[in-house]
Amino acid sequence: MDYATPRRFYSAHPNNAALPASPWRHLPPPAPALRAVVIVPAKDEAASLPATLAALAAQTDEHNRPLPPGCFEVLVLANNCTDRTAAAVRDFAAAHPALALHVAELTLPPTEAHVGRARRLLMDEAARRLELAGRPNAAIISTDADTRVAPDWLAATLRELARGADAVAGRILMEESNRACPVRRCQLQDAAYQLLRTQLETHLDPQPHDPWPRHHQHFGASLAVTVAAYRQVGGLPVVPFLEDEALYQALLRHDLRVRHSPAVRVFTSGRQQGRVAVGLSWQLREWARLGQQQLLVPDPAALVHELHLRRQLRRHWQLAQDLRLPDEEVIDVETLPAEVLAALPGYATFGACWEWARPLLLPNPVPQVPLAQAIQLLRAELARAPVAMVGS
């Protein structure tokens, strides 16, 4: 099966291109109580934005009470639009004065008229406003213009950040109206496969900040990051697509704690004609194109091998950094090549170390098996997991 991943679609990204003049000069100062800024890139989304904004206006706390005024605001960037996107936002703001909602219009040059640049402009402005409010640990939270967030989306995100996460990835679900979509079966099978992979990962290489239950998604429809973490990684990589995945990889490279929280939920459209070259709409088109063809995915045996290697490398890296190992941790001295072990002290973070070592340690290409078979193999692997680890 073909997936939208940075390794497939690009190998480098220009992250230092000159930014256009700020379109946000008209904004009022941030509220003193500001805890989060929600950002929404929008291109020709006049039809879908009202539902997206209505869901944001209806946010509640965990007791179903409306959130206090001024605790969050929403920034929408309407770039290169040919419809009434900006006008739709202004109309909504006029009808919902309690929601701190701001819109800016911008026409980007053709080489920069993509979601990566738009989301970067939004996240930079969100970071600036939160710093202006004296909130470096507050949240920049991304969603999309065809997405409806759950009523407790913001509260659940902030709760995960308060528990120590540097970033929070929300669960992205298809809208109920799209259950008759021709590619629904592929999507459900893929979701089962991805969740089983994730569960196996939490057993074989568990991370305390991201325990099971968790999910596998980290995309722009629901992705939060603290201002401090955003600055630490140098901001959102400016790439034409998969900018959310690129940000996630940057967070991992810096050993920042990303929580894939099942409590944070959004519902997105199943349209196959999206606004970006590669994304969910592209994936849906790929599944539709493949039709009844046998879908192939990486062999779960290769995943097991990778997870064992990653865990061993992490332990060796921790030893090289004079960090304390978990109690009773067993180190396999024969698993890793000597040249890899010798390089470990030179890496300040394990994420950067793994990014370098992974291509050296793993076969290329990875063996493939049919999707249905992969699901069965993953279930068998989980059944063999130690009882103490299941459900941990």
PDB file of all heavy atoms in Angstrom, residues 99-120:
ATOM      1  N   LEU A  99     -16.817  34.564  20.468  1.00  0.00           N
ATOM      2  CA  LEU A  99     -15.657  33.825  19.989  1.00  0.00           C
ATOM      3  C   LEU A  99     -14.603  34.801  19.475  1.00  0.00           C
ATOM      4  O   LEU A  99     -14.887  35.629  18.602  1.00  0.00           O
ATOM      5  CB  LEU A  99     -16.069  32.862  18.868  1.00  0.00           C
ATOM      6  CG  LEU A  99     -14.938  32.048  18.228  1.00  0.00           C
ATOM      7  CD1 LEU A  99     -14.336  31.068  19.228  1.00  0.00           C
ATOM      8  CD2 LEU A  99     -15.439  31.310  16.986  1.00  0.00           C
ATOM      9  N   ALA A 100     -13.397  34.728  20.018  1.00  0.00           N
ATOM     10  CA  ALA A 100     -12.296  35.566  19.535  1.00  0.00           C
ATOM     11  C   ALA A 100     -11.798  34.972  18.223  1.00  0.00           C
ATOM     12  O   ALA A 100     -10.993  34.041  18.205  1.00  0.00           O
ATOM     13  CB  ALA A 100     -11.182  35.617  20.573  1.00  0.00           C
ATOM     14  N   LEU A 101     -12.313  35.488  17.125  1.00  0.00           N
ATOM     15  CA  LEU A 101     -12.062  34.926  15.796  1.00  0.00           C
ATOM     16  C   LEU A 101     -11.490  36.004  14.896  1.00  0.00           C
ATOM     17  O   LEU A 101     -12.065  37.090  14.765  1.00  0.00           O
ATOM     18  CB  LEU A 101     -13.380  34.385  15.226  1.00  0.00           C
ATOM     19  CG  LEU A 101     -13.386  33.918  13.777  1.00  0.00           C
ATOM     20  CD1 LEU A 101     -12.415  32.771  13.561  1.00  0.00           C
ATOM     21  CD2 LEU A 101     -14.817  33.495  13.376  1.00  0.00           C
ATOM     22  N   HIS A 102     -10.360  35.705  14.274  1.00  0.00           N
ATOM     23  CA  HIS A 102      -9.685  36.675  13.418  1.00  0.00           C
ATOM     24  C   HIS A 102      -9.368  36.019  12.074  1.00  0.00           C
ATOM     25  O   HIS A 102      -8.986  34.839  12.022  1.00  0.00           O
ATOM     26  CB  HIS A 102      -8.391  37.172  14.059  1.00  0.00           C
ATOM     27  CG  HIS A 102      -8.553  37.613  15.475  1.00  0.00           C
ATOM     28  ND1 HIS A 102      -9.269  38.742  15.830  1.00  0.00           N
ATOM     29  CD2 HIS A 102      -8.092  37.079  16.637  1.00  0.00           C
ATOM     30  CE1 HIS A 102      -9.235  38.887  17.147  1.00  0.00           C
ATOM     31  NE2 HIS A 102      -8.531  37.888  17.657  1.00  0.00           N
ATOM     32  N   VAL A 103      -9.487  36.784  11.003  1.00  0.00           N
ATOM     33  CA  VAL A 103      -9.169  36.272   9.674  1.00  0.00           C
ATOM     34  C   VAL A 103      -8.246  37.248   8.964  1.00  0.00           C
ATOM     35  O   VAL A 103      -8.352  38.467   9.145  1.00  0.00           O
ATOM     36  CB  VAL A 103     -10.456  36.031   8.845  1.00  0.00           C
ATOM     37  CG1 VAL A 103     -11.216  37.326   8.606  1.00  0.00           C
ATOM     38  CG2 VAL A 103     -10.125  35.344   7.516  1.00  0.00           C
ATOM     39  N   ALA A 104      -7.338  36.720   8.190  1.00  0.00           N
ATOM     40  CA  ALA A 104      -6.471  37.523   7.329  1.00  0.00           C
ATOM     41  C   ALA A 104      -6.520  36.939   5.929  1.00  0.00           C
ATOM     42  O   ALA A 104      -6.673  35.727   5.749  1.00  0.00           O
ATOM     43  CB  ALA A 104      -5.039  37.521   7.858  1.00  0.00           C
ATOM     44  N   GLU A 105      -6.412  37.809   4.941  1.00  0.00           N
ATOM     45  CA  GLU A 105      -6.382  37.390   3.539  1.00  0.00           C
ATOM     46  C   GLU A 105      -4.989  37.630   2.973  1.00  0.00           C
ATOM     47  O   GLU A 105      -4.351  38.637   3.276  1.00  0.00           O
ATOM     48  CB  GLU A 105      -7.404  38.170   2.731  1.00  0.00           C
ATOM     49  CG  GLU A 105      -8.847  37.881   3.114  1.00  0.00           C
ATOM     50  CD  GLU A 105      -9.828  38.645   2.254  1.00  0.00           C
ATOM     51  OE1 GLU A 105     -10.145  38.163   1.130  1.00  0.00           O
ATOM     52  OE2 GLU A 105     -10.273  39.720   2.683  1.00  0.00           O
ATOM     53  N   LEU A 106      -4.542  36.717   2.137  1.00  0.00           N
ATOM     54  CA  LEU A 106      -3.196  36.813   1.601  1.00  0.00           C
ATOM     55  C   LEU A 106      -3.142  36.098   0.259  1.00  0.00           C
ATOM     56  O   LEU A 106      -3.726  35.023   0.095  1.00  0.00           O
ATOM     57  CB  LEU A 106      -2.200  36.160   2.577  1.00  0.00           C
ATOM     58  CG  LEU A 106      -0.716  36.331   2.294  1.00  0.00           C
ATOM     59  CD1 LEU A 106      -0.315  37.794   2.384  1.00  0.00           C
ATOM     60  CD2 LEU A 106       0.092  35.495   3.278  1.00  0.00           C
ATOM     61  N   THR A 107      -2.445  36.709  -0.682  1.00  0.00           N
ATOM     62  CA  THR A 107      -2.171  36.045  -1.957  1.00  0.00           C
ATOM     63  C   THR A 107      -0.688  35.731  -2.013  1.00  0.00           C
ATOM     64  O   THR A 107       0.153  36.633  -2.082  1.00  0.00           O
ATOM     65  CB  THR A 107      -2.568  36.934  -3.146  1.00  0.00           C
ATOM     66  OG1 THR A 107      -3.973  37.213  -3.076  1.00  0.00           O
ATOM     67  CG2 THR A 107      -2.266  36.230  -4.459  1.00  0.00           C
ATOM     68  N   LEU A 108      -0.375  34.448  -1.923  1.00  0.00           N
ATOM     69  CA  LEU A 108       1.012  34.009  -1.952  1.00  0.00           C
ATOM     70  C   LEU A 108       1.460  33.790  -3.395  1.00  0.00           C
ATOM     71  O   LEU A 108       0.649  33.417  -4.245  1.00  0.00           O
ATOM     72  CB  LEU A 108       1.154  32.703  -1.165  1.00  0.00           C
ATOM     73  CG  LEU A 108       0.893  32.794   0.339  1.00  0.00           C
ATOM     74  CD1 LEU A 108       0.714  31.400   0.932  1.00  0.00           C
ATOM     75  CD2 LEU A 108       2.022  33.528   1.048  1.00  0.00           C
ATOM     76  N   PRO A 109       2.749  33.980  -3.672  1.00  0.00           N
ATOM     77  CA  PRO A 109       3.243  33.687  -5.022  1.00  0.00           C
ATOM     78  C   PRO A 109       3.088  32.205  -5.331  1.00  0.00           C
ATOM     79  O   PRO A 109       3.021  31.374  -4.416  1.00  0.00           O
ATOM     80  CB  PRO A 109       4.715  34.112  -4.963  1.00  0.00           C
ATOM     81  CG  PRO A 109       5.065  34.137  -3.510  1.00  0.00           C
ATOM     82  CD  PRO A 109       3.803  34.486  -2.785  1.00  0.00           C
ATOM     83  N   PRO A 110       3.020  31.830  -6.602  1.00  0.00           N
ATOM     84  CA  PRO A 110       2.732  30.437  -6.977  1.00  0.00           C
ATOM     85  C   PRO A 110       3.632  29.410  -6.303  1.00  0.00           C
ATOM     86  O   PRO A 110       3.156  28.339  -5.910  1.00  0.00           O
ATOM     87  CB  PRO A 110       2.930  30.438  -8.503  1.00  0.00           C
ATOM     88  CG  PRO A 110       2.645  31.839  -8.913  1.00  0.00           C
ATOM     89  CD  PRO A 110       3.129  32.706  -7.792  1.00  0.00           C
ATOM     90  N   THR A 111       4.917  29.715  -6.146  1.00  0.00           N
ATOM     91  CA  THR A 111       5.823  28.737  -5.543  1.00  0.00           C
ATOM     92  C   THR A 111       5.580  28.559  -4.051  1.00  0.00           C
ATOM     93  O   THR A 111       6.059  27.590  -3.468  1.00  0.00           O
ATOM     94  CB  THR A 111       7.286  29.155  -5.765  1.00  0.00           C
ATOM     95  OG1 THR A 111       7.481  30.477  -5.221  1.00  0.00           O
ATOM     96  CG2 THR A 111       7.635  29.141  -7.247  1.00  0.00           C
ATOM     97  N   GLU A 112       4.843  29.466  -3.435  1.00  0.00           N
ATOM     98  CA  GLU A 112       4.611  29.393  -1.996  1.00  0.00           C
ATOM     99  C   GLU A 112       3.146  29.225  -1.641  1.00  0.00           C
ATOM    100  O   GLU A 112       2.793  29.200  -0.459  1.00  0.00           O
ATOM    101  CB  GLU A 112       5.153  30.656  -1.325  1.00  0.00           C
ATOM    102  CG  GLU A 112       6.603  30.924  -1.632  1.00  0.00           C
ATOM    103  CD  GLU A 112       7.407  31.283  -0.402  1.00  0.00           C
ATOM    104  OE1 GLU A 112       6.799  31.532   0.642  1.00  0.00           O
ATOM    105  OE2 GLU A 112       8.629  31.289  -0.501  1.00  0.00           O
ATOM    106  N   ALA A 113       2.298  29.102  -2.635  1.00  0.00           N
ATOM    107  CA  ALA A 113       0.859  28.997  -2.394  1.00  0.00           C
ATOM    108  C   ALA A 113       0.495  27.560  -2.050  1.00  0.00           C
ATOM    109  O   ALA A 113      -0.174  26.865  -2.821  1.00  0.00           O
ATOM    110  CB  ALA A 113       0.092  29.490  -3.608  1.00  0.00           C
ATOM    111  N   HIS A 114       0.946  27.113  -0.896  1.00  0.00           N
ATOM    112  CA  HIS A 114       0.670  25.745  -0.461  1.00  0.00           C
ATOM    113  C   HIS A 114       0.402  25.731   1.031  1.00  0.00           C
ATOM    114  O   HIS A 114       0.663  26.708   1.752  1.00  0.00           O
ATOM    115  CB  HIS A 114       1.819  24.805  -0.834  1.00  0.00           C
ATOM    116  CG  HIS A 114       3.173  25.262  -0.371  1.00  0.00           C
ATOM    117  ND1 HIS A 114       3.548  25.274   0.959  1.00  0.00           N
ATOM    118  CD2 HIS A 114       4.251  25.719  -1.071  1.00  0.00           C
ATOM    119  CE1 HIS A 114       4.792  25.709   1.054  1.00  0.00           C
ATOM    120  NE2 HIS A 114       5.242  25.998  -0.149  1.00  0.00           N
ATOM    121  N   VAL A 115      -0.113  24.606   1.514  1.00  0.00           N
ATOM    122  CA  VAL A 115      -0.548  24.522   2.905  1.00  0.00           C
ATOM    123  C   VAL A 115       0.615  24.627   3.886  1.00  0.00           C
ATOM    124  O   VAL A 115       0.452  25.109   5.002  1.00  0.00           O
ATOM    125  CB  VAL A 115      -1.360  23.229   3.135  1.00  0.00           C
ATOM    126  CG1 VAL A 115      -0.477  21.990   3.031  1.00  0.00           C
ATOM    127  CG2 VAL A 115      -2.086  23.263   4.475  1.00  0.00           C
ATOM    128  N   GLY A 116       1.820  24.191   3.469  1.00  0.00           N
ATOM    129  CA  GLY A 116       2.962  24.298   4.363  1.00  0.00           C
ATOM    130  C   GLY A 116       3.276  25.738   4.713  1.00  0.00           C
ATOM    131  O   GLY A 116       3.507  26.077   5.878  1.00  0.00           O
ATOM    132  N   ARG A 117       3.275  26.618   3.701  1.00  0.00           N
ATOM    133  CA  ARG A 117       3.527  28.027   3.968  1.00  0.00           C
ATOM    134  C   ARG A 117       2.388  28.644   4.766  1.00  0.00           C
ATOM    135  O   ARG A 117       2.620  29.401   5.716  1.00  0.00           O
ATOM    136  CB  ARG A 117       3.724  28.768   2.643  1.00  0.00           C
ATOM    137  CG  ARG A 117       3.870  30.279   2.798  1.00  0.00           C
ATOM    138  CD  ARG A 117       5.080  30.646   3.638  1.00  0.00           C
ATOM    139  NE  ARG A 117       6.308  30.515   2.870  1.00  0.00           N
ATOM    140  CZ  ARG A 117       7.512  30.575   3.426  1.00  0.00           C
ATOM    141  NH1 ARG A 117       7.643  30.732   4.731  1.00  0.00           N
ATOM    142  NH2 ARG A 117       8.604  30.448   2.677  1.00  0.00           N
ATOM    143  N   ALA A 118       1.140  28.336   4.389  1.00  0.00           N
ATOM    144  CA  ALA A 118      -0.009  28.910   5.095  1.00  0.00           C
ATOM    145  C   ALA A 118      -0.012  28.497   6.559  1.00  0.00           C
ATOM    146  O   ALA A 118      -0.208  29.326   7.470  1.00  0.00           O
ATOM    147  CB  ALA A 118      -1.308  28.485   4.409  1.00  0.00           C
ATOM    148  N   ARG A 119       0.221  27.210   6.838  1.00  0.00           N
ATOM    149  CA  ARG A 119       0.192  26.762   8.231  1.00  0.00           C
ATOM    150  C   ARG A 119       1.363  27.352   9.009  1.00  0.00           C
ATOM    151  O   ARG A 119       1.236  27.664  10.189  1.00  0.00           O
ATOM    152  CB  ARG A 119       0.183  25.237   8.304  1.00  0.00           C
ATOM    153  CG  ARG A 119      -0.570  24.728   9.542  1.00  0.00           C
ATOM    154  CD  ARG A 119      -0.565  23.216   9.671  1.00  0.00           C
ATOM    155  NE  ARG A 119      -1.208  22.510   8.600  1.00  0.00           N
ATOM    156  CZ  ARG A 119      -2.498  22.186   8.560  1.00  0.00           C
ATOM    157  NH1 ARG A 119      -3.295  22.538   9.549  1.00  0.00           N
ATOM    158  NH2 ARG A 119      -2.997  21.502   7.547  1.00  0.00           N
ATOM    159  N   ARG A 120       2.524  27.511   8.348  1.00  0.00           N
ATOM    160  CA  ARG A 120       3.678  28.121   9.017  1.00  0.00           C
ATOM    161  C   ARG A 120       3.374  29.571   9.408  1.00  0.00           C
ATOM    162  O   ARG A 120       3.688  30.004  10.529  1.00  0.00           O
ATOM    163  CB  ARG A 120       4.903  28.055   8.110  1.00  0.00           C
ATOM    164  CG  ARG A 120       6.127  28.856   8.585  1.00  0.00           C
ATOM    165  CD  ARG A 120       6.698  28.307   9.892  1.00  0.00           C
ATOM    166  NE  ARG A 120       7.825  29.096  10.351  1.00  0.00           N
ATOM    167  CZ  ARG A 120       9.099  28.701  10.291  1.00  0.00           C
ATOM    168  NH1 ARG A 120       9.400  27.519   9.790  1.00  0.00           N
ATOM    169  NH2 ARG A 120      10.068  29.473  10.750  1.00  0.00           N
TER     170      ARG A 120
END
